[in-house]
Amino acid sequence: MIEGTVSTQLARLLAGAAGANAAPAAFGDELHHDLVRVPASVTDALWEELAGVTAAQLVRALPDQGVGLWSHMFGGGENLLDGLRDAARYLPILADPATESIEVLDDGELTTVRHSSTTRLASAVAAARIEFGLGVVLEQLRRAGGRTVTPVHVGFSHAAPRRHDGVAELFGSRNVTFAAESDSLTFLTADLTTPLPYARPGLAQVLRQHADLLLRTVRPASTWHDRFRAAVADALRDGDCSLRAVAARLALSSRTLQRRLAEQGTTWRAELETVRQDRAVRLLRDTDLTVDAVADRVGYSDARALRRATHRWHGGSPRTVRGKPT
């Protein structure tokens, strides 16, 4: 499930523009893996950091490659309308499908792109986010077509800001309506159906297949807390689960590790107990190991210590945990 998450490409773009590394840093190197998804709350926080940065500035900050696969889809079809439809369909590879969507409506003469966002942000931040989203769509159309593409109308559901010269500049149109029914760009359909100069037959299908595969294989990013618990579990399996040993696995000092845990609202002792409990319960339920062997594998001195622990956790003996009568 990808609901509630966004692509790391989008997170990196916003982090670079905001100059803020605190929120994404919680995910370490995973922020640089394209098969990882980060919580939408990460980009929400970055949007708050971007207060005062205009949509035009953010669009100009787009790298040459755009935001990965999603950007390439604009130039995959025979014309821009084909690419636009694919980009709208596969917006979930970039954004949170629970809160973001793009709809393409074409009546033969006019094509309207409607962008919907239900993210709860401060009104000014939400407005900038919508302007950015539509601005990116227009920029990708221009890059894919290799020419200036100008909407005949731009609509925003939010109220007009005090100054909106930058909006007119970004969209290349003075026909901008605020407090409109929807957030949208409207084009002459003929302007989008001109054959692309470098169209490659079959490319759109390849991009769709890639997008389908990506949506099946992406995974949520693990947080620092997740990585900490994984380090504790590994230390337990290796037979040295001291605070110092786990801190070394995370390239931290013991004091720094304890401080990080305190920031998470927990302690070393509580975390060790939780990881021991999870591992002990799995071993008792899923293996035929003796109680002594399980106690040894989770770092208890003997079977009696494990029995006392299972009484704390479940109010019963290890046999009770295994589903056997006492």
Side-chain angles (χ1 to χ4, degrees), residues 266-285:
T266 186
T267 65
W268 163 253
R269 186 178 297 275
E271 290 297 316
L272 179 58
E273 178 82 350
T274 297
V275 176
R276 277 177 166 170
Q277 178 181 350
D278 291 344
R279 181 160 170 74
V281 168
R282 285 198 302 271
L283 291 174
L284 289 169
R285 289 178 176 170

Side-chain angles (χ1 to χ4, degrees), residues 199-223:
R200 286 169 284 182
L203 176 59
Q205 181 62 24
V206 171
L207 293 174
R208 291 188 207 109
Q209 290 173 347
H210 190 181
D212 288 332
L213 178 61
L214 181 66
L215 290 172
R216 291 196 299 268
T217 55
V218 290
R219 61 177 177 82
S222 59
T223 64

Side-chain angles (χ1 to χ4, degrees), residues 254-326:
S254 298
R255 181 172 296 180
T256 299
L257 175 55
Q258 288 178 309
R259 186 175 67 251
R260 292 288 296 272
L261 291 172
E263 292 170 354
Q264 298 281 325
T266 186
T267 65
W268 163 253
R269 186 178 297 275
E271 290 297 316
L272 179 58
E273 178 82 350
T274 297
V275 176
R276 277 177 166 170
Q277 178 181 350
D278 291 344
R279 181 160 170 74
V281 168
R282 285 198 302 271
L283 291 174
L284 289 169
R285 289 178 176 170
D286 301 337
T287 74
D288 294 325
L289 291 171
T290 66
V291 175
D292 286 296
V294 172
D296 181 65
R297 294 194 180 197
V298 296
Y300 286 113
S301 57
D302 53 35
R304 286 188 302 174
L306 177 58
R307 291 190 182 96
R308 288 194 295 269
T310 57
H311 273 284
R312 288 198 306 274
W313 303 332
H314 300 286
S317 70
R319 290 177 64 84
T320 302
V321 175
R322 277 181 160 156
K324 296 179 180 180
T326 57

Side-chain angles (χ1 to χ4, degrees), residues 169-189:
E169 178 186 355
L170 173 60
F171 294 98
S173 174
R174 293 286 175 181
N175 190 12
V176 180
T177 301
F178 291 93
E181 291 185 1
S182 63
D183 300 296
S184 62
L185 300 176
T186 300
F187 303 90
L188 292 173
T189 298

